[in-house]
Amino acid sequence: MALTEGAHPGEFILSEANGNRSRENRTLVSGQNLGAGAVLGKISSGGKFTGYDNTAGDGSQAAAGILYASVDATDGDMDCVVIIRDAEVIGDALDFDAGQSGADQTAATADLLALGIIVR
């Protein structure tokens, strides 16, 4: 039987600002189960985070950070840690929504760069 190991917390980070300056405690909106390295968008009304979706119209169409560790918010909103500024990350270790095209990922990468998050 083959076992599959999921993403470890923060394994996508190459470097970040001193202390915890790159990280913020936020809320992941209910109805999703996301792994470490998931690219997130921020919902305009309420300010909660959700999976990035370049086609959305609720604010989550702009990448606003990267989920530090896996969070299961299937049954309700959950607290989470988000890399929100000043970091270098491994692009291949990021988790974009499966439905996102290459152009959507390029847009997300540009959004992250505006936050000081460099995708390598």
Side-chain angles (χ1 to χ4, degrees), residues 56-120:
D58 62 357
S60 65
Q61 68 273 14
I66 303 168
L67 189 62
Y68 178 78
S70 298
V71 175
D72 185 352
T74 303
D75 296 328
D77 293 355
M78 295 291 294
D79 292 335
C80 63
V81 175
V82 178
I83 300 298
I84 205 157
R85 70 180 72 79
D86 300 334
E88 289 178 279
V89 299
I90 303 167
D92 289 341
L94 298 182
D95 182 15
F96 294 90
D97 178 44
Q100 301 295 307
S101 70
D104 295 333
Q105 292 179 19
T106 299
T109 299
D111 293 341
L112 292 172
L113 181 59
L115 301 171
I117 300 172
I118 301 168
V119 178
R120 301 269 184 211

Side-chain angles (χ1 to χ4, degrees), residues 8-99:
H8 292 275
E11 76 177 352
F12 58 90
I13 299 172
L14 287 169
S15 68
E16 62 181 315
N18 288 337
N20 291 324
R21 202 170 80 73
S22 296
R23 305 176 190 192
E24 294 274 340
N25 293 322
R26 300 295 181 180
T27 302
L28 186 65
V29 72
S30 67
Q32 52 199 328
N33 184 358
L34 301 176
V39 177
L40 302 174
K42 182 176 167 185
I43 300 170
S44 298
S45 63
K48 295 178 183 176
F49 280 69
T50 188
Y52 165 77
D53 181 356
N54 197 37
T55 63
D58 62 357
S60 65
Q61 68 273 14
I66 303 168
L67 189 62
Y68 178 78
S70 298
V71 175
D72 185 352
T74 303
D75 296 328
D77 293 355
M78 295 291 294
D79 292 335
C80 63
V81 175
V82 178
I83 300 298
I84 205 157
R85 70 180 72 79
D86 300 334
E88 289 178 279
V89 299
I90 303 167
D92 289 341
L94 298 182
D95 182 15
F96 294 90
D97 178 44

Side-chain angles (χ1 to χ4, degrees), residues 1-5:
M1 176 171 97
L3 299 176
T4 302
E5 188 171 353

